[in-house]
Amino acid sequence: AEVSTQSTGGPKHGKIDPDNTPHVGGNTWAGGTGGRDTAGLGGKGGPYRLDAGHNVHQLSDEEKISVPEEVQKAAREMGKKAFKKRLEEIKMSEYDAGRYNSFVQSVSKQIASLKQLAAGLEAKQGDRVWLKNQTDGELDDAKLVEGLTGERNVYKRRGMPEEKGLNMAQPKHLTLLVDVSGSMYRFNGLDQRLQRELELMAMVMEGLQGSESRVRYDIIGHSGENPHISFVNRDLPPDNEKKRLDVLEEMHAHSQFCWSGDHTVDALSQAVKHAASVKADDRIVIAFSDANLKRYFINPKKIGSLMTKDPSVSVFIIFIGSLGDEAEQLKRVLPAGKSFVTMDTKEMPTILQQIFTSTMIQ
């Protein structure tokens, strides 16, 4: 981490450099890194994040903490105003086909796979029972007389009460817990983690369109500001491209403008309680994370205990970003079979299929 000896003045957007020249330190230019006061990355005292596509010079956490309380408060208020303005722009703008297609085209094959997976979902299997009047299996003591007279259906065997393809009284319910914390935006230039998460949500919204009778979903976000941000409600899924683009743009905007911090534990706890309250054939929570837990001293065992706390809810975590091998380290200490690490959106339909299959046989 870089170290700055300069004090902060007050938050501001900063000047726009028409040549987009990299700026390190200082407090003049918007989109600089390792500076102070202006919108950028890796600095201190600025109102919100702004990625201009340059290598990031990061100030130390100690340097960031040293920012006076009144400057932090002013920066936070300016960030909230900018976030509100950005949301108004999103809601008022016409549908941008090129922007939305940039998400969808990169996962078009995965969308088709998810549609096929959703169409083939079956009801969760119940308890195995003795199926009687069978032509093979164990001899049924109650059918001894019939057996002596030559009847063939005198056996019993363990199995499901109905054949495969059980109709679901209630659709399956997915709670997709997305990470829209500041680190998702901050490190997107490193490994495209935020871009990947947005593509995943585009895949889910497109792939589950029309399958509401089999699977319904909520998309809930969490960040350092809020453990529960509703992006999609299961009763009102986005039914056109404009509404789905709005969801993606709002997620992106929150990650850019939210305050630093982490609410992963509270978010997961609330998501599990939320899922448990829903009437469904099966309740599944899938949390997406960039594995940035060590910085906030979050014990992975706490996450693990939440994942197994409620037997009526199946909880999984998919790590879509990592600094070094942090994601793999977390996977090793979390409940077996409940976590995945992927840096490739193309692997998601296979992971989702594994999740659905594992919940059906529990």
Side-chain angles (χ1 to χ4, degrees):
E2 304 287 331
V3 177
S4 171
T5 58
Q6 299 293 323
S7 60
T8 54
K12 57 187 178 182
H13 180 78
K15 293 182 178 180
I16 305 296
D17 185 343
D19 298 322
N20 195 28
T21 303
H23 296 281
V24 179
N27 66 343
T28 301
W29 302 102
T33 71
R36 63 192 191 282
D37 302 339
T38 60
L41 292 177
K44 63 180 181 179
Y48 40 82
R49 300 168 195 87
L50 183 62
D51 188 350
H54 305 303
N55 292 333
V56 178
H57 293 255
Q58 180 77 40
L59 296 185
S60 67
D61 288 342
E62 291 78 6
E63 185 74 16
K64 289 172 174 286
I65 293 171
S66 69
V67 176
E69 182 64 32
E70 64 272 15
V71 175
Q72 292 189 43
K73 184 177 180 181
R76 193 164 190 170
E77 288 302 316
M78 187 173 175
K80 286 181 179 179
K81 289 179 181 178
F83 180 48
K84 184 178 180 180
K85 181 181 178 182
R86 177 60 180 145
L87 292 185
E88 290 171 352
E89 290 172 352
I90 293 170
K91 304 304 180 189
M92 293 173 61
S93 63
E94 294 182 5
Y95 168 57
D96 181 355
R99 172 72 169 148
Y100 186 67
N101 285 338
S102 69
F103 293 113
V104 174
Q105 288 177 355
S106 61
V107 290
S108 57
K109 291 183 180 179
Q110 287 68 45
I111 290 170
S113 297
L114 183 56
K115 284 183 177 293
Q116 187 176 12
L117 176 61
L121 289 177
E122 299 168 355
K124 187 171 184 177
Q125 296 178 359
D127 295 330
R128 292 166 63 86
V129 297
W130 282 110
L131 302 177
K132 298 194 174 187
N133 300 315
Q134 304 296 306
T135 58
D136 59 79
E138 297 182 27
L139 183 63
D140 188 346
D141 293 340
K143 292 275 190 176
L144 290 176
V145 175
E146 289 85 343
L148 292 172
T149 60
E151 186 171 333
R152 297 181 59 194
N153 298 333
V154 294
Y155 296 93
K156 63 180 181 178
R157 57 184 172 82
R158 298 288 287 179
M160 306 311 299
E162 297 181 39
E163 295 299 321
K164 286 187 73 176
L166 295 168
N167 292 324
M168 287 184 276
Q170 299 280 352
K172 296 181 184 295
H173 180 258
L174 281 179
T175 301
L176 300 167
L177 186 62
V178 294
D179 188 346
V180 287
S181 61
S183 61
M184 292 292 290
Y185 183 94
R186 162 65 179 83
F187 294 109
N188 188 59
L190 176 69
D191 58 13
Q192 295 292 291
R193 62 185 65 182
L194 181 56
Q195 176 71 17
R196 193 158 52 248
E197 185 173 64
L198 296 176
E199 289 175 355
L200 289 173
M201 293 308 106
M203 182 192 79
V204 168
M205 290 187 288
E206 286 283 340
L208 296 183
Q209 176 73 14
S211 297
E212 291 79 10
S213 64
R214 289 180 171 272
V215 57
R216 300 170 76 189
Y217 66 94
D218 290 299
I219 298 180
I220 299 171
H222 68 92
S223 70
E225 281 194 6
N226 196 330
H228 187 103
I229 309 154
S230 179
F231 291 118
V232 173
N233 183 288
R234 63 187 178 278
D235 295 323
L236 294 169
D239 56 6
N240 60 47
E241 290 88 346
K242 175 62 172 65
K243 291 179 181 178
R244 291 193 278 273
L245 177 63
D246 286 347
V247 172
L248 302 179
E249 295 280 23
E250 191 170 347
M251 287 174 58
H252 185 278
H254 190 94
S255 184
Q256 180 178 4
F257 295 106
C258 71
W259 203 244
S260 297
D262 192 280
H263 276 116
T264 300
V265 173
D266 288 343
L268 187 58
S269 177
Q270 290 189 34
V272 172
K273 290 178 182 177
H274 167 79
S277 69
V278 178
K279 291 183 179 180
D281 173 77
D282 205 1
R283 304 170 188 86
I284 303 171
V285 172
I286 303 177
F288 297 88
S289 172
D290 65 357
N292 191 30
L293 304 182
K294 187 182 295 184
R295 180 182 180 189
Y296 296 100
F297 306 103
I298 297 174
N299 189 337
K301 292 183 179 179
K302 179 67 174 179
I303 303 293
S305 66
L306 287 173
M307 294 175 69
T308 56
K309 184 176 182 180
D310 191 328
S312 72
V313 181
S314 300
V315 182
F316 301 85
I317 292 184
I318 301 176
F319 295 110
I320 57 174
S322 180
L323 292 177
D325 64 347
E326 286 186 11
E328 288 292 346
Q329 289 181 26
L330 288 169
K331 181 182 177 182
R332 286 194 287 269
V333 299
L334 293 176
K338 296 287 188 177
S339 60
F340 305 85
V341 177
T342 178
M343 305 299 160
D344 189 349
T345 309
K346 295 180 177 61
E347 296 175 351
M348 278 306 301
T350 301
I351 292 175
L352 290 176
Q353 187 167 23
Q354 291 179 40
I355 288 173
F356 282 130
T357 301
S358 69
T359 59
M360 286 181 65
I361 63 176
Q362 287 179 353

